[in-house]
């Protein structure tokens, strides 16, 4: 069973602070995605990374795929209350067309 | 463009009763997914369709769960009989094909009492 462990599980911070969420596995993935999910809604894709060592930026969000394609991180700069939600990573094992979701990180940004 | 539509949004049933969820994917999307998401966890894939064919149903509990995607468009997921442990959010997602981005619906929150 391929597991994606996310840390921390919960995070509550003040507006303006920076944070990093980690997604780790012992398995290699051909690609990895990050989603944000708000209450009562389905996950919304933020980014897909496919190359080991790849870094992608989306405004205040920076995503990095580990060199060995087993782990990833999401860094948010100057967090805002609108960033509040459940952040999910999802990895696609090589040779498959499905994504295995991580355990999730619930972020709350206080104004 | 309309997103993935799911109904009902909420369902409360007693254990041992049957229940069905409906999903209408984004127009033109050939691949359809059903996921189950337990509280505070990530979604788990139950079944993936490519057009009308179920190409990955390895995680579907086939003793009580069934799914169909007639004509390769809408899909229905059924549970019969429901158990207390089936309480969860059932998410449907679709993509243009298997290698493209998935778009999720809002989900159906099932409570089994």
């Amino acid at each position: 069973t391929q597991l994606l462990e996310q840390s921390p599980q919960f995070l509550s911070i003040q507006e303006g602070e920076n944070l990093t969420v980690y997604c780790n596995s012992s398995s290699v993935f051909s690609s990895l995605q990050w989603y944000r999910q708000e209450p009562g809604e389905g996950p919304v894709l933020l980014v897909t990374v496919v190359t080991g060592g790849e870094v992608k930026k989306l405004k205040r969000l920076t995503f990095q795929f580990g060199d060995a394609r087993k782990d990833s991180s999401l860094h948010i700069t100057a967090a805002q209350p609108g960033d509040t939600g459940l952040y999910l990573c999802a990895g696609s094992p090589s040779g498959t067309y499905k994504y295995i979701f991580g355990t999730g990180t619930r972020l709350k940004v206080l104004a | 463009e309309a997103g993935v539509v799911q109904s009902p949004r909420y369902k409360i049933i007693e254990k041992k009763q049957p229940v069905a969820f409906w999903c209408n994917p984004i127009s033109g999307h050939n691949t359809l997914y059903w996921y189950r998401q337990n509280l505070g966890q990530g979604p788990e894939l139950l079944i993936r369709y490519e057009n009308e064919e179920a190409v990955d149903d390895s995680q579907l509990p086939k003793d009580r769960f069934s799914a169909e995607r007639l004509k390769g468009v809408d899909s229905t997921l059924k549970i019969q009989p429901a158990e207390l442990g089936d309480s969860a959010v059932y998410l449907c997602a679709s993509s243009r094909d298997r290698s493209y981005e998935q778009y999720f619906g809002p989900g159906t929150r099932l409570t089994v009492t």
Side-chain angles (χ1 to χ4, degrees), chain B residues 12-44:
Chain B
I12 301 174
I13 61 171
E14 294 183 347
K15 62 181 180 182
K16 300 185 182 180
Q17 295 300 305
V19 65
F21 314 123
W22 176 79
C23 173
N24 180 236
I26 293 172
S27 178
H29 281 197
N30 297 324
T31 305
L32 184 146
Y33 311 77
W34 281 104
Y35 291 86
R36 176 170 59 191
Q37 185 174 25
N38 293 312
L39 188 63
Q41 298 182 20
E44 298 175 81

Side-chain angles (χ1 to χ4, degrees), chain A residues 47-58 61-67 72-73 75:
Chain A
V47 76
T48 301
V49 286
V50 298
T51 304
E54 182 176 2
V55 176
K56 280 192 174 180
K57 293 190 175 183
L58 183 65
L61 279 59
T62 301
F63 305 86
Q64 183 163 9
F65 201 9
D67 291 341
S72 181
S73 64
H75 182 79

Side-chain angles (χ1 to χ4, degrees), chain B residues 3 38 74 79:
Chain B
N38 293 312
D74 294 1
I79 308 175

Side-chain angles (χ1 to χ4, degrees), chain A residues 68-88:
Chain A
R69 291 186 285 126
K70 293 183 179 181
D71 54 84
S72 181
S73 64
L74 159 60
H75 182 79
I76 301 179
T77 302
Q80 299 176 1
D83 296 327
T84 294
L86 178 67
Y87 287 82
L88 296 160

Side-chain angles (χ1 to χ4, degrees), chain A residues 4-93:
Chain A
L4 276 167
E5 297 286 340
Q6 288 185 236
S7 62
Q9 189 175 359
F10 300 98
L11 190 55
S12 181
I13 62 172
Q14 292 294 131
E15 182 177 4
E17 293 184 359
N18 301 332
L19 67 116
T20 301
V21 176
Y22 299 93
C23 173
N24 295 292
S25 175
S26 58
S27 301
V28 176
F29 296 102
S30 60
S31 62
L32 192 138
Q33 296 180 330
W34 283 93
Y35 291 80
R36 180 170 64 215
Q37 185 177 21
E38 299 189 20
E41 299 296 330
V44 175
L45 181 66
L46 298 173
V47 76
T48 301
V49 286
V50 298
T51 304
E54 182 176 2
V55 176
K56 280 192 174 180
K57 293 190 175 183
L58 183 65
K59 297 184 179 178
R60 294 178 294 101
L61 279 59
T62 301
F63 305 86
Q64 183 163 9
F65 201 9
D67 291 341
R69 291 186 285 126
K70 293 183 179 181
D71 54 84
S72 181
S73 64
L74 159 60
H75 182 79
I76 301 179
T77 302
Q80 299 176 1
D83 296 327
T84 294
L86 178 67
Y87 287 82
L88 296 160
C89 64
S92 180

